[in-house]
Amino acid sequence: METLDPDLIEQIPARVAYHFKFLPLARTNGVLKVLVPDAEDLDLLDAIGRELGLRVEGVTESSEAIGDGLKRYYGLGAETIEGLIEQRDEDASPGHAGRAHRSSDLLDVAEDASIIKFVNQLLLEAFLDRATDIHIEPFEGQLRIRYRIDGVLHDVSVPDSIKRFQDAIASRIKVMANLDIAERRVPQDGRMRLRVGKEDLDLRVSILPIARGESVNLRLLQSSSILFGLEELGMDKSGRDLLERAMAQPHGIILLTGPTGSGKTTTLYSCLSRINEAERKIITVEDPVEYELSGVCQMQVHNKIGFTFSEGLRSMLRHDPDVMLVGEIRDAETASLAIRASLTGHLVFSTLHTNDAPGAVSRLVDLGAEPFLVASSLECVVAQRLVRKICDYCRVPATFPSIERAEFGLDALTWSQTEFFGGEGCDHCKGSGYRGRTVIHEGMTIDERLREKVAERVSANELRKLARAGGMVFLRENGWDKVTAGMTTPDEVLRVTAKMDL
């Protein structure tokens, strides 16, 4: 669809454009040309003309393109916001002073039908765009809304006038999440559950007071997205085999490492689903419980009342489990209890925030765990990242600068003989060239050779060299395999990985 004139867009009310589902194309000699799904629909053109007081001519465009154009040029929920402004202006008139006073009540504002409609539009659009997070951030003169799609934030086009309703939007979300709408001084956390078509959607809500109002973050959790096997997540055979061998052990610790948003929880849940059998008792302690797994006893951390990871782990040990999942090892007590649990015959899954697999050993020792106990209990460590996949709808051959070759440690011949692909950008991927994500990983099995070195308290760099000698593939190298398979781009792998020099 061709670019439209912003000045002409401003002249046509959003409520009219949304109601009749058209876009203004051009205006010459008193005649308005509009984009409509069917230019032969004279009844529609006459109705638009009567509403605007103009002669109207139609130009055929797809309904999808018009819908995208309405959101792009007018902004998400523009007709709703426009109606709210008109209502507020009417309520503020001398003859409606009483209504204006009542509408200032926080609960009344949060329950306003138009605010409810706008928040619903915001949530539905995020779901349709495959967003994992919604960020609503108030700044001076602006209310910024962004979606995180495939790990990258994208601005959402919204009317500038939405700034006037930031408190009402935040209050509506608080009502939905059963939070205190009158409290604006301290952070609040909550949850809500929605149904979109046949999809169940869990939302984690976080409210932060900032200088210009309240910043709102909503994490969208889809139950169906967690029910993947390791292969569907994108883990290659070497990674699957490593985890399968570790899960076949009767006891020991299996660690997943990586930054926030690297898919650790999804991988852990996939592992639990694989071994979730009637013969096994599985208990988890998480912060928060992101997905409910059938047949698994899941506990939620509540730090305010003293129910921490360590306390939950201690309680688990009295409940006769076979398999235990601890959401994160973040202190000395949790690390000690996890090691003790593994040494007393339990299989323990957990996560750590480290940059690579060998760094997990040093991190446990830094937390106060004895090296010989770490060596005895640890079975394997998997570090992972998520990279965006090239969009299937606009995938084309591509070239990348040879300067990136050194970042992968490749020779010129290998680089020149590699067939690269990229995405041109289309409606399916919102112009990014990427759609969906896949996992890249490095796995370190703690064999007898490594156990001896861990017990000797060798450095992470030394462990990295030994693991490399044993065949461990680094994150960036695994990413390169995804590049040569045509799944992602060199730029995307370099974005999420660091070069490892030995």
Side-chain angles (χ1 to χ4, degrees):
M1 184 176 69
E2 59 187 285
T3 303
L4 304 183
D5 182 0
D7 292 334
L8 183 58
I9 292 288
E10 287 186 9
Q11 297 171 23
I12 307 299
R15 60 176 177 77
V16 177
Y18 269 90
H19 177 73
F20 292 106
K21 294 182 174 55
F22 75 92
L23 284 170
L25 182 60
R27 183 178 180 180
T28 53
N29 300 323
V31 177
L32 179 67
K33 285 189 176 181
V34 296
L35 296 175
V36 290
D38 182 6
E40 302 298 322
D41 188 345
L42 299 181
D43 290 339
L44 174 62
L45 298 177
D46 287 343
I48 296 172
R50 285 194 302 271
E51 185 70 29
L52 299 175
L54 296 169
R55 287 179 53 208
V56 175
E57 292 181 0
V59 176
T60 299
E61 182 58 270
S62 71
S63 298
E64 292 80 6
I66 292 173
D68 289 341
L70 286 169
K71 287 180 286 190
R72 174 184 172 189
Y73 288 101
Y74 285 100
L76 178 68
E79 82 286 12
T80 305
I81 298 301
E82 194 174 84
L84 273 168
I85 292 173
E86 292 175 358
Q87 176 185 325
R88 178 169 289 190
D89 290 343
E90 179 185 345
D91 289 346
S93 65
H96 296 81
R99 287 179 57 191
H101 175 74
R102 287 197 304 273
S103 67
S104 65
D105 182 273
L106 284 175
L107 187 56
D108 287 347
V109 171
E111 296 293 352
D112 186 286
S114 296
I115 288 295
I116 292 173
K117 180 181 178 183
F118 176 79
V119 172
N120 288 345
Q121 287 176 302
L122 187 68
L123 296 173
L124 177 61
E125 194 67 25
F127 172 79
L128 295 176
D129 283 348
R130 302 176 297 105
T132 55
D133 292 87
I134 304 172
H135 293 267
I136 305 172
E137 304 155 317
F139 300 109
E140 184 176 4
Q142 176 194 19
L143 183 66
R144 187 183 194 185
I145 298 181
R146 293 185 289 176
Y147 292 158
R148 188 178 294 279
I149 303 172
D150 294 332
V152 178
L153 285 170
H154 298 265
D155 280 315
V156 177
S157 176
V158 292
D160 293 338
S161 53
I162 196 175
K163 172 68 176 175
R164 297 170 59 178
F165 304 98
Q166 67 180 48
D167 291 340
I169 293 168
S171 294
R172 174 58 192 165
I173 292 170
K174 287 181 183 179
V175 168
M176 296 174 72
N178 293 315
L179 300 177
D180 184 353
I181 64 172
E183 181 56 76
R184 300 185 180 186
R185 301 164 299 173
V186 297
Q188 296 188 67
D189 296 302
R191 301 191 71 148
M192 66 177 86
R193 190 176 183 90
L194 303 175
R195 189 166 183 82
V196 183
K198 297 181 179 179
E199 185 72 45
D200 287 323
L201 198 62
D202 284 315
L203 288 91
R204 277 172 29 200
V205 180
S206 175
I207 311 284
L208 289 179
I210 61 175
R212 295 291 176 176
E214 292 178 295
S215 176
V216 181
N217 171 254
L218 298 102
R219 169 67 59 87
L220 284 70
L221 305 168
Q222 293 176 236
S223 300
S224 62
S225 66
I226 205 70
L227 302 176
F228 289 137
L230 295 172
E231 187 170 0
E232 286 81 2
L233 292 177
M235 188 167 284
D236 61 25
K237 188 176 186 301
S238 64
R240 297 197 305 272
D241 289 347
L242 183 150
L243 282 172
E244 293 281 3
R245 288 194 299 270
M247 289 188 290
Q249 300 300 316
H251 52 77
I253 298 177
I254 299 172
L255 285 179
L256 268 290
T257 78
T260 300
S262 59
K264 301 187 297 295
T265 300
T266 303
T267 301
L268 283 176
Y269 280 10
S270 296
C271 289
L272 289 187
S273 297
R274 181 73 64 92
I275 62 174
N276 186 11
E277 300 167 346
E279 295 81 13
R280 282 193 172 105
K281 172 80 169 185
I282 303 176
I283 309 178
T284 77
V285 56
E286 306 169 60
D287 184 22
V289 174
E290 294 194 358
Y291 302 92
E292 293 185 14
L293 297 176
S294 177
V296 176
C297 300
Q298 297 172 267
M299 296 188 292
Q300 165 80 52
V301 164
H302 291 286
N303 289 313
K304 290 182 179 179
I305 60 173
F307 187 63
T308 61
F309 278 121
S310 56
E311 187 61 36
L313 186 47
R314 189 179 290 106
S315 300
M316 280 190 209
L317 290 169
R318 298 191 291 267
H319 214 70
D320 188 32
D322 297 295
V323 180
M324 308 162 71
L325 183 147
V326 184
E328 181 184 348
I329 295 176
R330 56 175 67 159
D331 56 44
E333 187 176 11
T334 307
S336 175
L337 287 168
I339 290 172
R340 193 177 87 189
S342 69
L343 293 176
T344 53
H346 303 89
L347 189 61
V348 180
F349 292 85
S350 192
T351 69
L352 273 176
H353 285 284
T354 62
N355 292 326
D356 59 5
V361 175
S362 299
R363 176 65 177 150
L364 287 174
V365 174
D366 289 342
L367 285 174
E370 291 290 342
F372 73 92
L373 292 178
V374 174
S376 301
S377 59
L378 199 58
E379 285 296 327
C380 78
V381 184
V382 174
Q384 68 176 56
R385 303 288 189 275
L386 292 176
V387 294
R388 292 179 292 172
K389 295 194 296 185
I390 299 168
C391 176
D392 290 333
Y393 297 93
C394 60
R395 183 173 179 271
V396 295
T399 57
F400 292 89
S402 57
I403 192 173
E404 295 181 356
R405 175 175 61 83
E407 295 294 325
F408 286 96
L410 299 170
D411 57 61
L413 181 61
T414 300
W415 187 268
S416 64
Q417 291 179 342
T418 301
E419 185 178 11
F420 296 108
F421 293 91
E424 287 186 308
C426 64
D427 291 339
H428 296 281
C429 61
K430 302 292 182 184
S432 68
Y434 299 96
R435 182 179 172 88
R437 289 187 290 178
T438 188
V439 67
I440 61 173
H441 63 88
E442 64 180 25
M444 183 177 75
T445 298
I446 312 299
D447 55 22
E448 291 306 316
R449 181 172 53 96
L450 282 178
R451 291 190 198 281
E452 292 178 6
K453 296 299 181 181
V454 171
E456 293 172 7
R457 205 186 285 262
V458 301
S459 67
N461 193 49
E462 186 66 26
L463 284 178
R464 188 178 298 112
K465 290 179 180 178
L466 290 170
R468 174 66 160 185
M472 185 178 85
V473 175
F474 292 153
L475 276 167
R476 186 165 287 188
E477 293 171 323
N478 188 246
W480 176 253
D481 291 339
K482 295 291 175 74
V483 171
T484 58
M487 296 176 67
T488 190
T489 64
D491 291 345
E492 185 63 10
V493 174
L494 295 178
R495 182 179 70 87
V496 301
T497 63
K499 188 177 181 181
M500 288 296 175
D501 296 314
L502 293 177

